[in-house]
Amino acid sequence: MKAIVATKYGPPEVLRLKEVGKPAPQDHEILVKVQATTVNVGDCRMRGFTVPPMFWLPGRIALGFRKPRNPIFGMELAGEVEAVGTNVTRFKAGDQVFASTFQANFGAHAEYKCLPEDGAVVTKPKDMTNEEAATLSIGANTALFFLKRGNIQPGQKVLIIGASGSVGTFAVQLAKYFGAEVTGVCSGPNVEMIKSLGADKAIDYTQEDFTKNGETYDIIFDAVGKTSLSQCKSSLKDKGYYLHTGMVGSELKALWLSVTTDKNIIGGTAVPSKENLAFLKELTETGRLKPVIDRCFPLEQMIEAHRYVEQGRKKGNVIITM
Ligand SMILES: NC(=O)c1ccc[n+]([C@@H]2O[C@H](COP(=O)([O-])OP(=O)(O)OC[C@H]3O[C@@H](n4cnc5c(N)ncnc54)[C@H](OP(=O)(O)O)[C@@H]3O)[C@@H](O)[C@H]2O)c1
């Protein structure tokens, strides 16, 4: 099968289109023919190994010392079940599914991927394209994970920083679904898009500093990892939640800040679950959640896709089609 293989850590050019062995499902696994996948910031970070110095050693232990241990990246996919292992009961050949490969050694940037049937894999929402369904397992799951950890409640004021990105565009829609009053922080060209997703207000961060406008929020969700608690503290209500997608592995820091301030600080990794994916599927089927797609690239243009995502300016999601 065709796959994009990272030959070493480095710039997008380390990625090569190669012929590799087609996987065969174990007894408890399904074999998915991938029809769409995504490139996200995490794929670019794994490829370039751009991690803060304190994460260098744990990062290399987790990902591989000299080169990526799992050289086929790709954290999410949509496609068709081609075959199932002998013990599989949840799926059958021909089922259309979407899934996260986050706990299955990644590998969505390939024509086929085996996944455990009880992993984060769910049948595809009806009337949804593969391109759209491929976006739900990371961006939407991450937005849902953090808003739930922030104990979001109807009527609360929620500020979403990075509202135009993958996590942000889903976070705006989910926060509205949970009944919040939503303000999105984005650049000028994205203001209308954020409002069309349901945001009550949009703040153009190139024109206005939200920390200086006197507003306070129950939840500040930094979906793009551009702020710190000390910057946002005065804009958070007492006992408010500061959610930050970038504070992976910093639970100790968050715990320390939680005991030294009256704010709640949530970081960490949004591990996808089939329960979350089923919930997201229901929201898409009832028209309450719609992925934003910026660009689609064919598998053969993976290098161009990485170059584009790495700029940090994408609107919503970048798709790879097979
Ligand atoms: N913790 C977890 O489990 C987890 C899971 C998934 C993702 N993440 C992390 O979450 C972050 C966001 O991921 P993503 O895929 O949503 O990112 P993304 O789509 O690449 O975000 C890009 C968007 O952010 C906007 N942006 C850039 N700088 C901004 C700023 N200062 N203020 C407001 N908006 C800004 C950009 O628009 P403009 O440049 O036009 O403003 C662009 O639309 C990444 O750091 C990723 O690693 C963490």
Side-chain angles (χ1 to χ4, degrees):
M1 67 168 182
K2 280 193 236 164
I4 301 295
V5 178
T7 50
K8 54 185 173 180
Y9 296 114
E13 292 71 26
V14 302
L15 301 171
R16 297 275 195 292
L17 179 65
K18 288 193 174 180
E19 269 304 318
V20 301
K22 181 178 170 182
Q26 305 285 310
D27 292 350
H28 63 288
E29 286 183 334
I30 62 175
L31 173 68
V32 181
K33 182 171 169 49
V34 179
Q35 281 154 342
T37 173
T38 64
V39 175
N40 64 35
V41 181
D43 295 314
C44 295
R45 290 215 185 106
M46 287 206 308
R47 187 252 308 138
F49 201 77
T50 45
V51 299
M54 64 181 290
F55 293 130
W56 195 94
L57 188 59
R60 288 275 163 139
I61 290 170
L63 297 177
F65 260 94
R66 296 162 69 86
K67 58 183 186 175
R69 187 178 304 117
N70 300 304
I72 304 175
F73 301 145
M75 300 184 187
E76 55 190 339
L77 60 82
E80 181 171 312
V81 176
E82 188 174 274
V84 300
T86 47
N87 296 340
V88 169
T89 55
R90 274 183 75 212
F91 299 99
K92 59 182 186 321
D95 283 349
Q96 300 289 318
V97 294
F98 71 104
S100 162
T101 59
F102 191 78
Q103 292 136 290
N105 298 329
F106 312 110
H109 294 170
E111 285 182 298
Y112 293 91
K113 175 67 188 168
C114 283
L115 292 164
E117 71 154 336
D118 62 352
V121 51
V122 166
T123 54
K124 188 161 76 75
K126 59 177 185 297
D127 302 329
M128 198 174 218
T129 63
N130 285 308
E131 288 80 358
E132 290 175 317
T135 68
L136 296 173
S137 302
I138 298 297
N141 174 76
T142 302
L144 178 61
F145 171 92
F146 278 96
L147 290 172
K148 285 200 316 200
R149 294 281 309 274
N151 195 24
I152 187 167
Q153 300 294 325
Q156 283 187 329
K157 281 177 69 180
V158 175
L159 182 79
I160 295 163
I161 303 164
S164 54
S166 173
V167 178
T169 49
F170 286 118
V172 168
Q173 298 176 75
L174 288 169
K176 283 307 293 176
Y177 165 76
F178 287 119
E181 184 192 314
V182 177
T183 302
V185 179
C186 60
S187 64
N190 292 323
V191 163
E192 284 315 310
M193 174 184 68
I194 297 313
K195 288 191 173 165
S196 75
L197 296 175
D200 300 283
K201 293 180 199 159
I203 295 176
D204 174 354
Y205 69 87
T206 66
Q207 303 294 321
E208 183 183 342
D209 181 349
F210 71 86
T211 65
K212 298 201 167 67
N213 66 8
E215 295 280 342
T216 54
Y217 301 91
D218 300 284
I219 295 176
I220 296 182
F221 182 8
D222 185 348
V224 75
K226 296 285 181 184
T227 63
S228 64
L229 176 66
S230 46
Q231 259 177 291
C232 298
K233 221 164 124 183
S234 60
S235 306
L236 253 190
K237 291 185 183 176
D238 292 348
K239 311 235 181 299
Y241 280 80
Y242 177 66
L243 315 174
H244 194 291
T245 55
M247 294 202 313
V248 176
S250 56
E251 285 80 0
L252 272 180
K253 185 178 168 196
L255 184 67
W256 171 246
L257 288 169
S258 291
V259 294
T260 54
T261 74
D262 64 348
K263 321 292 187 203
N264 299 284
I265 298 99
I266 307 286
T269 304
V271 178
S273 68
K274 61 174 181 286
E275 292 76 17
N276 272 4
L277 299 196
F279 177 74
L280 293 165
K281 168 180 161 159
E282 193 195 320
L283 291 191
T284 62
E285 285 181 337
T286 49
R288 285 172 289 186
L289 188 69
K290 191 159 173 56
V292 172
I293 293 180
D294 183 336
R295 292 190 187 182
C296 295
F297 295 85
L299 185 70
E300 292 75 11
Q301 287 179 17
M302 185 63 80
I303 291 176
E304 286 79 359
H306 270 245
R307 283 186 191 136
Y308 182 62
V309 172
E310 204 159 54
Q311 291 167 23
R313 310 301 306 263
K314 71 178 164 67
K315 298 169 185 39
N317 301 277
V318 163
I319 307 297
I320 300 294
T321 51
M322 296 294 159

